[in-house]
Amino acid sequence: MTRLDKYLCDAGIGTRSEVKNYIKKGRVSVNGSVVKNADLKLNENKDHVLFDGKAVSVCGLVYYMLHKPAGYISATKDDRDQTVLDLLADAPGKDLAPVGRLDKDTEGLLLITNDGALSHRLLSPKKHVDKTYLVHTKDPVTAQMATLLENGVDIGDEKPTLPAKVTLLSETCQLLLTITEGRFHQVKRMMIAVGTEVVYLKRLSMGPLVLDETLPKGSFRPLTEKEKAELGVL
Ligand code: URA
């Protein structure tokens, strides 16, 4: 048995206070009758809950785009550091987790969801999902260095990195790098392998998902229907 407000919250309908408000306004019905009592006990397996006339998804899958700021670690819990989930403390949904990791000092696009299947699809080494980063380097990256990066470099692992895509930007010491793997500190190690260092790193995209630059650093928003469709979760 679960309280109605908790059930709606876990299903991603809204924060606890938002769903209480929706209930008060008569937007929620249980087994065909409008319910205005947020602490009504539900049997999740039997009771039929509608929000604004639409069935509430029992699986409660939620998808958020976070503009990760530096200083947060990509984990669900940590004893020492703040985690990216601290930035989503208010977000509706249960068992949220980041899809993959960005280093503590890396900024940019991070998908946060409780859809384990999607997470697996995006992170599986076999799927070769493109990840594009804006990279600022200590030294200018020459055309020769770009070719090395594009062909694959030895970063001390068993195998060299897979072919990547490099776009040198007109601003010196800045480039776009697209990789299809997700090895530990991969971009930083690739830059070291060609003789320079990363001084700033920001992820701009992951597969079809592109960072919404109107999203202030440290903020999140639910994915749009279009973004979800592009990820194949609709
Ligand atoms: N590569 C890195 O080195 N760091 C990141 O955070 C992401 C990719």
Side-chain angles (χ1 to χ4, degrees), residues 101-103 106 133 179 183 185-189 201:
R101 285 169 187 273
L102 290 177
D103 295 337
T106 301
Y133 293 87
I179 58 174
R183 303 194 206 176
H185 296 327
Q186 181 163 345
V187 175
K188 291 175 183 164
R189 289 158 72 207
L201 189 58

Side-chain angles (χ1 to χ4, degrees), residues 21-174:
N21 205 17
Y22 300 152
I23 295 167
K24 229 190 265 165
K25 289 196 167 137
R27 294 173 68 180
V28 177
S29 71
V30 179
N31 303 328
S33 312
V34 170
V35 168
K36 296 206 170 173
N37 174 12
D39 55 19
L40 177 89
K41 297 284 184 304
L42 286 181
N43 179 338
E44 300 100 314
N45 300 320
K46 253 175 55 193
D47 291 324
H48 193 55
V49 183
L50 301 183
F51 173 62
D52 283 348
K54 279 195 226 132
V56 173
S57 147
V58 268
C59 58
L61 295 179
V62 291
Y63 304 88
Y64 297 107
M65 176 186 293
L66 171 70
H67 189 163
K68 180 191 175 296
Y72 288 78
I73 62 162
S74 300
T76 51
K77 274 213 270 311
D78 194 79
D79 292 337
R80 238 186 16 186
D81 285 309
Q82 288 198 287
T83 74
V84 289
L85 283 195
D86 293 325
L87 296 165
L88 282 96
D90 249 10
K94 217 177 158 180
D95 303 327
L96 294 178
V99 177
R101 285 169 187 273
L102 290 177
D103 295 337
K104 186 173 170 185
D105 56 355
T106 301
E107 298 183 347
L109 175 68
L110 193 59
L111 174 61
I112 311 276
T113 182
N114 50 7
D115 183 342
L118 173 66
S119 193
H120 181 76
R121 269 205 312 281
L122 290 171
L123 298 176
S124 163
K126 290 191 194 126
K127 302 275 182 188
H128 300 304
V129 172
D130 280 358
K131 272 111 8 200
T132 299
Y133 293 87
L134 168 67
V135 190
H136 294 190
T137 50
K138 192 168 165 207
D139 316 281
V141 172
T142 62
Q144 287 91 321
M145 287 155 86
T147 305
L148 290 175
L149 293 166
E150 288 191 321
N151 291 339
V153 283
D154 179 358
I155 58 171
D157 292 344
E158 221 172 279
K159 288 186 182 162
T161 54
L162 287 177
K165 201 172 148 224
V166 176
T167 308
L168 298 178
L169 300 178
S170 51
E171 201 71 41
T172 44
C173 301
Q174 290 194 23

